[in-house]
Amino acid sequence: MIDIRIMSKYIIMLGAPGAGKGTQAELLQARMGLAHISSGDLFRENIAKQTPLGKLAKQYMDNGELVPDDVTVQMVMERIRRPDCERGVVFDGFPRTEEQARTLDKAFAAERKRINAVILLDAPDQVLIDRLAARRICAKDGSVYNLLTNPPRVPGICDKDGAPLEQREDDKPDTVRRRLQVFQKQTKPLIDYYQQASLLNRIRGDQEIELVERDLLASLEKQ
Ligand code: AMP
């Protein structure tokens, strides 16, 4: 019998807020049949359900800070154990600190899994700020729109389920500024970490969605 772990693919999307990690992760999910694990979405689901984890996470998220490593890692590790992850996972927004990356490496080593590729989506700060200001999400299913480059068919309404669109609290300018600082300080060191592991693929994130996807697929093929 073929060991499915050999065929499984584990891909990490790295990049600042607004770089396009979620959009590209969804495209990869559809194309490669991977599970899409967004730590931010998992926190937002917990906030919506008002779980103790959600209440804790919200205090950090509203300030643009990272949720502590121990609770984040535990939440993601539980998610990875679900059966839909057997064919592989595209991680979106996790890991975000060196501590998280090391914990993931240890957990994978114990299960004889490995990270196949890390995609760094690179874009200038002003592009990120403009994108986040124009980002709107569906209040019901979390679908993401951009008022300038990917607007809904009817203004203010989700194409898929007709629910109202809203701006994420942490996409407002003051919090965005803090999130970009947090990326520089806590997440950027991961670029070196994965470069040293020869896993890093740098892609220009300040292109149209289709062009980013094209470059991303080309870089995965070379892996
Ligand atoms: P995102 O949806 O990826 O932009 O994440 C939104 C917010 O959730 C972040 O600003 C953090 O407060 C929190 N968050 C998401 N992923 C992580 C993570 N891997 N580690 C710590 N905090 C996270």
Side-chain angles (χ1 to χ4, degrees), residues 39-40 43-44 61 65-67 72 93-94 96 100 168 170 179:
S39 38
F43 284 131
R44 281 184 287 277
M61 291 168 77
E65 305 290 342
L66 296 186
V67 180
T72 304
F94 179 89
R96 250 175 162 99
Q100 292 177 16
R168 265 170 56 173
D170 61 350
R179 288 165 68 202

Side-chain angles (χ1 to χ4, degrees), residues 38-217:
S38 155
S39 38
D41 283 351
L42 291 175
F43 284 131
R44 281 184 287 277
E45 280 165 31
N46 275 279
I47 290 173
K49 289 187 197 143
Q50 301 189 342
T51 67
L53 173 62
K55 283 182 192 146
L56 174 89
K58 188 170 170 14
Q59 299 167 26
Y60 294 93
M61 291 168 77
D62 283 352
N63 292 323
E65 305 290 342
L66 296 186
V67 180
D69 285 335
D70 52 351
V71 282
T72 304
V73 164
Q74 197 192 338
M75 172 183 76
V76 173
M77 291 303 160
E78 276 173 28
R79 176 67 186 85
I80 295 175
R81 282 187 214 112
R82 289 208 222 140
D84 65 321
C85 297
E86 271 172 20
R87 288 192 60 183
V89 172
V90 51
F91 291 102
D92 156 15
F94 179 89
R96 250 175 162 99
T97 65
E98 221 170 298
E99 172 69 23
Q100 292 177 16
R102 287 186 195 286
T103 313
L104 182 66
D105 279 350
K106 271 190 220 139
F108 267 27
E111 293 178 27
R112 295 199 298 129
K113 291 181 186 147
R114 68 182 186 94
I115 306 292
N116 298 86
V118 177
I119 307 289
L120 170 64
L121 294 177
D122 226 357
D125 272 7
Q126 196 54 51
V127 170
L128 303 171
I129 291 166
D130 292 346
R131 276 189 188 164
L132 294 173
R135 176 158 76 179
R136 296 292 182 275
I137 57 169
C138 170
K140 202 165 154 202
D141 73 356
S143 295
V144 181
Y145 297 86
N146 180 294
L147 297 182
L148 305 173
T149 57
N150 178 30
R153 283 195 294 271
V154 180
I157 301 291
C158 178
D159 291 350
K160 293 179 198 153
D161 59 17
L165 300 184
E166 53 189 31
Q167 185 172 33
R168 265 170 56 173
E169 203 49 49
D170 61 350
D171 278 349
K172 300 196 172 149
D174 282 350
T175 318
V176 163
R177 225 168 290 128
R178 181 67 197 135
R179 288 165 68 202
L180 292 175
Q181 288 169 351
V182 166
F183 173 77
Q184 288 292 332
K185 189 153 174 262
Q186 291 176 270
T187 308
K188 234 180 170 178
L190 288 183
I191 297 175
D192 280 347
Y193 181 87
Y194 287 121
Q195 200 146 33
Q196 276 167 25
S198 303
L199 288 171
L200 196 78
N201 296 272
R202 200 180 279 265
I203 307 282
R204 273 192 55 184
D206 57 341
Q207 314 179 75
E208 285 174 24
I209 291 172
E210 295 74 25
L211 298 182
V212 177
E213 186 190 20
R214 178 201 64 189
D215 290 355
L216 195 161
L217 292 173

